[in-house]
Amino acid sequence: MTHLSILWRRIAWSRRASLGATLLGVLALLGIFAEFIAAPAPLVWVGPRGVEVLPAITEAEALNAMGEEERRARYAAGAGLWPVVRHGPTHASEAGPRAASSKEHPFGTDAHGRDLVARLVYGARTALGLSLSAVLAGMFLGVIQGGLAGIYRGFWNDRLVRLVETVDTFPAIIIVALVRAIEREPSALSLVIAVAIVRWAEIARLVRAEVLRASAEDYVMAAKALGCTELRVFYRHILPNAIGPVIVSSVFGVASVVLLEAAISFLPMGASTASASWGETLAEAARYPEEYRFLVLPGALLLLTVGGSYLLADALRDAVDPRTVRVRDQGGA
Amino acid sequence: MLRHALRRILWTLPTLFVVSVVTFLVLTFVPDPVDDPRFTSALTRADRERIRRERYLDLPTFFNPAPRDVQARAMEAVRQIVTGGAEAARAATDLQRIGGAALPHVLPALDTLAPEPRTQVALALAPIARRMKLPRAEDAYDPGRAVAFWTRFWDDRGVEFRAASVRSAVQRFTRYGSDSRAAEILELDTFALEYVIGALVTPQDAAGVAQARALVAIAAEVTGIDDRISPTDDVQAAQACVARWKTFWSVYRGDYAVFSGPSRVAAMVLETRYGKWALGALTHRLGLAANGEPVLDELGRRAPVTLALVFGAIVLAYAVAIPLGVISAASRGRKTDLIIACIVLGMTVVPTAVLAVLAHPKGGAYGGSLLLPTALLAVALVAAPTRQQRSALATVLTQDVIRAAQARGASRVRALLSHGLRNTLLPVVTLAVVEPPLAIGGAFVVEHVFRLHGLGEATILAVQARDANWLMALSIFAAAVAALAVIATDLAYVLLDPRLASAVLSRRRRG
C-alpha cells in the first residue's frame, strides 16, 4: 500500500473530513453556480432575439448597464427558465431598501435595496474565490522560498529568514490597510496579493523547517550520495514529506482568509468593492441592529465555511501526522 | 540574560528600518492628489508645482544622486533668463524668490555672460536690492546702471556673505536682539535664512516667544511669506507658527542652502522623499497625521486601548485554554474530550464581527470598560492553545516520567500538573507569539463595533484620507511590537526551561 493510499483511506474514513469537505463543497458549488440561483436574467430564454443561454454571464456588462424596467422589457416576450431569484447582487431592486421577505425576494433586500439571497450567494463566490486563490498563491511562493532557504544557506539566506520572521509576525490587516490606501479602485486582486504576502511566510517557515530536518536524514544523504541534484532531492525526497503540513496549514488558511476578508469588508476601509461580500452585510447588521437576518444569514454562512475548513484541516492533520495515529491506536478510540 | 535581551532589542532596529523602507516604498504608490483631474483643473501650473513640492513629490524616493541646492537652482534660473523666451519671466520670479542666497553664485558669474544677458540678469535681481533696503536700490532698475550696481555691491559687501559671519550675526541677534542687528541680517536677505531657521527653537515661555517673534519676522520679511507671531499671540500660537516655519524649511531648504562636501553627501540621502519623512519623523514626533496632530501623540493615546484589548484577550484566552487543554488531554477518548473539542470548535468558528454585533446591538457609544470587548475577542483565540495543550500533554502523558511519578505514588492529578504540564508549556508559549497579529484584525472589528478610540478607528480614517504618515507609524509600531513579542517569548523559554538557556542565548547571537 502506498503512502498516498494510506493517507487517502485515513481521510476518507474520517467523519470530520467528510463533513468538512461536504460543507466546503456545497459552499463552493454555491459560489461557482451563483448565476443559476440568483441572476438578473433567465438561464435560458427563447424570445424575439432567438435562443439565449445564460445571458447573465455572456452579456453581463450590457445587463449591468440596464435599469430594472429595461431588463423586464427585454424578457417580456418569449419563454424560458429563470433562476430562483430574479435579481443580481449589484442591482437595487424596486422593493426598496430593507424590504421584508417576499416571493420576489425570499430573504428581503439589504440596506441598499439589493436582493439578500443574491448578495449572500455571490458573497460565497467572493469569500471562497479570494481565499482559495490567496492560499494557493501563498502556498506556491512559500514552498519555493522555503525550499530555497532550506537548501542554499548563507548570509543573504539568513536575512531572508529574518524577513520571513518579520512578515510572519506582521498583522495581515495592516498590510491590507496599506494596500487599500494605495489603490484608486479597490479590487479583489490587490486583496489576494496582500493576503498571499502574509500567507507565504507561514508556508515558507514550515517548508524550511522540514528541509532542515530532512537534510540530516539518511535517505537524503543516500540520495545525494547517488548523485541526485539538490533540486531533485528537494522535489523527490523532501517535498513529499513537507507537503502534508503545508496542505494542513493551507486549509486552516482558507478559514483565516475567509474571516479576514469578512473583517476587511466589515470595516469601512476605502470604497467598497463592486463584488458582494458577507462582511459588508454584517456591517449593515451593525448599522441596523433590529434586522436580525443581516446578522444571522451571513454569520451562519461564515460559520459553515470556517467550520468546514477547520474540520477538514483537523482531519487532514491527524491523517498526515503519524504520531497522532499511534496515540489514537494505543488509546483504543 | 539582560545583556542578551538588550542586544536583541538593539538588533530590532535594523528590522524596523527595513520595515519602514518597505512600507514607504508601498506608500509611494498612494495616488497623488495632483493627478486627480477634478482637483487640478482649477489650479494654475505654479500651484500644482507648489503642492507637488510640499508633498515632496518632485524628489526621488530613496536616493538623490544630484540634490539641487541654491547654486544649481540659481544658475539654472540665470541660464533660462539668458536663453529668454517664455521661461525667462518665470525664472526671474524664481531668482527673486531665492533672493540673497543666490547672490554669491550669480554675481561672480555675471562677468562670464555677454553684455546683453548680463543686463537682463542684473535687472531680474533688482527686487532683491529693494527688499534688502540697499542704498540707491533704484539704480538696480536702470538698465544702464544695474550691472555696475551689482558689481560694486559684490566688491563692497561680498565679504559679508560668509557662513561664519552670518552665523555669528544671527547668534548676536538672538542673544541681544536689536533693530540694527535685525537690519544687518535683513541686508543679507535669504542668505541668512538657513541660520535664522536654525536658531529658531520652539518657544516655551514669554522670553522664548519674543525671541521666536523676532526671528520669524526676519524669515517672513525675506521670503515674503506673511506668517508672523503677532504680539498678542500666546505660547501655543507661537509654537504652531514655529512648527509651520520648520515645515517650510524642510520643504524649501534646497532653495536657500548650499550642499557642498559632507552636506552634499547628507543631502543625497536627506533630499529624498524617504529622507524628508525620516527627518520629520525623528524631529517632529513621527510627522503630522491627517487631523493635524503629531502621529506619536495620537499613537500614544490610541495604542493602549488596542494593546490592552489584544494582550488582555490573549491572556484571557490562555487562562481558559490551558485548563481546557489539560482536562481534555486527561480525558482523552472520553465524552468530556469530545464535548470540549466541540465547544472549542464552536468558539473558533463564530466570527468576531457576529459576536460583537450581537453583544452590542445598540448603535450608541459604548461607555463601559474594555472587559466585554476583550472577552469577545478572546473567544476566537481559545481554540489554538487548547488544541496545542491537549496534543502536547497527550504526548507527554505516554512518557515514562508520568508513569514513574504514578508508580512512586503520586496521584493522577499531581502527576499531570507537576510533571506533565511543565513540559508542555513551551510549545504553547511559542504559539502566543503568533496570536497578536491574528488578534489585531479582530481587535479592529471589535473597536469598530464598540466605537472604541483605538488604532483601528484611526487606521480606517487614515486609509480613507490616504494618510501616509499614520500608516507608516502604524506599520513600524506593529513590527516593533511583533519583534518585542518574539524576544519576550525567547526569554520565557529560558524561564520555563533553564536547560534551553544556552541554546536560546547562543542561537540568536547574531540577531
Side-chain angles (χ1 to χ4, degrees), chain B residues 132-413:
Chain B
M132 289 161 82
K133 298 203 175 62
L134 295 180
R136 296 179 39 208
E138 277 58 48
D139 283 4
Y141 286 92
D142 181 350
R145 281 183 285 182
V147 176
F149 172 83
W150 283 113
T151 317
R152 202 166 56 242
F153 169 80
W154 194 244
D155 287 346
D156 292 351
R157 311 280 296 275
V159 72
E160 290 171 23
F161 285 77
R162 294 269 181 281
S165 61
V166 180
R167 196 176 298 130
S168 61
V170 172
Q171 255 169 22
R172 280 198 303 278
F173 174 67
T174 46
R175 200 167 303 157
Y176 310 113
S178 72
D179 286 347
S180 65
R181 289 199 175 91
E184 188 189 344
I185 296 172
L186 281 176
E187 280 183 9
L188 296 169
D189 202 53
T190 54
F191 188 78
L193 195 58
E194 186 176 358
Y195 309 98
V196 170
I197 301 277
L200 195 59
V201 287
T202 309
Q204 303 297 345
D205 50 14
V209 171
Q211 202 178 64
R213 184 183 303 132
L215 288 168
V216 163
I218 292 179
E221 182 72 34
V222 297
T223 55
I225 297 170
D226 194 28
D227 185 5
R228 300 162 201 256
I229 303 173
S230 79
T232 52
D233 280 352
D234 58 355
V235 177
Q236 258 171 356
Q239 282 173 346
C241 182
V242 169
R244 281 197 299 277
W245 274 104
K246 293 279 185 192
T247 314
F248 163 83
W249 184 245
S250 148
V251 176
Y252 291 102
R253 180 165 166 259
D255 281 4
Y256 304 109
V258 182
F259 303 142
S260 63
S263 74
R264 185 164 197 89
V265 177
M268 283 181 181
V269 182
L270 290 179
E271 288 293 305
T272 57
R273 292 173 67 180
Y274 182 76
K276 294 281 189 189
W277 171 82
L279 203 65
L282 291 178
T283 54
H284 291 105
R285 310 176 73 72
L286 294 176
L288 294 181
N291 62 1
E293 293 253 342
V295 171
L296 192 64
D297 296 354
E298 187 95 4
L299 205 61
R301 205 167 41 241
R302 289 173 179 276
V305 178
T306 305
L307 289 185
L309 214 61
V310 167
F311 287 102
I314 290 175
V315 169
L316 199 63
Y318 274 67
V320 176
I322 291 179
L324 272 185
V326 171
I327 296 172
S328 129
S331 60
R332 225 158 356 113
R334 281 190 234 131
K335 211 162 231 168
T336 326
D337 185 22
L338 193 69
I339 292 171
I340 289 179
C342 287
I343 292 175
V344 166
L345 183 69
M347 284 166 94
T348 327
V349 296
V350 180
T352 312
V354 173
L355 272 184
V357 174
L358 265 182
H360 185 253
K362 293 161 289 296
Y366 177 74
S369 68
L370 288 176
L371 207 62
L372 180 61
T374 312
L376 291 176
L377 189 55
V379 166
L381 300 174
V382 169
T386 307
R387 201 184 293 126
Q388 182 80 40
Q389 180 69 49
R390 177 186 178 277
S391 69
L393 202 56
T395 320
V396 170
L397 285 184
T398 60
Q399 284 176 356
D400 293 340
V401 201
I402 303 294
R403 218 191 297 162
Q406 283 185 331
R408 286 199 303 276
S411 70
R412 195 172 152 71
V413 174

Side-chain angles (χ1 to χ4, degrees), chain A residues 173 259-260 262-267 282 286, chain B residues 309 351-357 377 439-452 456-457 460:
Chain A
I173 196 129
L259 285 177
L260 180 67
I264 293 160
S265 38
F266 181 78
L267 300 172
L282 281 179
Chain B
L309 214 61
T352 312
V354 173
L355 272 184
V357 174
L377 189 55
I440 226 160
F444 280 15
V445 168
V446 173
E447 271 176 26
H448 179 65
V449 175
F450 283 84
R451 316 260 164 100
L452 298 174
E457 187 192 34
I460 291 168

Side-chain angles (χ1 to χ4, degrees), chain A residues 158-159 162 165-166 168-174 177-178 180-184 252 259 263 266-270 282 285-286 289 292 295 299 302-303 306-307 310-311 314 317 327 330 333, chain B residues 15 19 23 26-27 29-32 35 332 345 348-351 353-354 357-358 361 387 398 437 440-441 444-445 448-449 459-460 463-464 466 471 474-475 478-479 482 486 508 510-511:
Chain A
D158 285 358
R159 299 289 89 86
R162 299 218 66 80
E165 222 171 66
T166 314
D168 203 19
T169 47
F170 207 80
I173 196 129
I174 292 183
L178 290 179
R180 273 287 155 92
I182 64 173
E183 57 189 356
R184 271 166 216 276
F252 273 122
L259 285 177
F266 181 78
L267 300 172
M269 272 190 191
L282 281 179
Y292 278 108
L295 180 68
L302 268 173
L303 203 136
V306 176
Y310 264 88
L311 286 172
D314 216 35
R317 179 171 49 193
V327 168
Q330 279 175 2
Chain B
T15 313
V19 167
T23 313
V26 172
L27 286 176
F29 295 103
V30 166
D32 180 355
D35 286 350
R332 225 158 356 113
L345 183 69
T348 327
V349 296
V350 180
V354 173
V357 174
L358 265 182
R387 201 184 293 126
T398 60
I440 226 160
F444 280 15
V445 168
H448 179 65
V449 175
T459 306
I460 291 168
V463 169
Q464 282 164 355
R466 302 188 193 284
L471 293 172
L474 181 72
S475 160
V486 172
R508 302 280 192 170
R510 287 206 299 128

Side-chain angles (χ1 to χ4, degrees), chain A residues 90 97 116 203 243:
Chain A
T90 48
L116 197 57
I203 306 284
I243 207 76

Side-chain angles (χ1 to χ4, degrees), chain A residues 131 135 199 202 247-258 309 313:
Chain A
S131 55
V135 161
R199 293 287 316 155
E202 188 182 329
I247 289 176
V248 171
S249 155
S250 296
V251 178
F252 273 122
V254 170
S256 68
V257 176
V258 166
S309 64

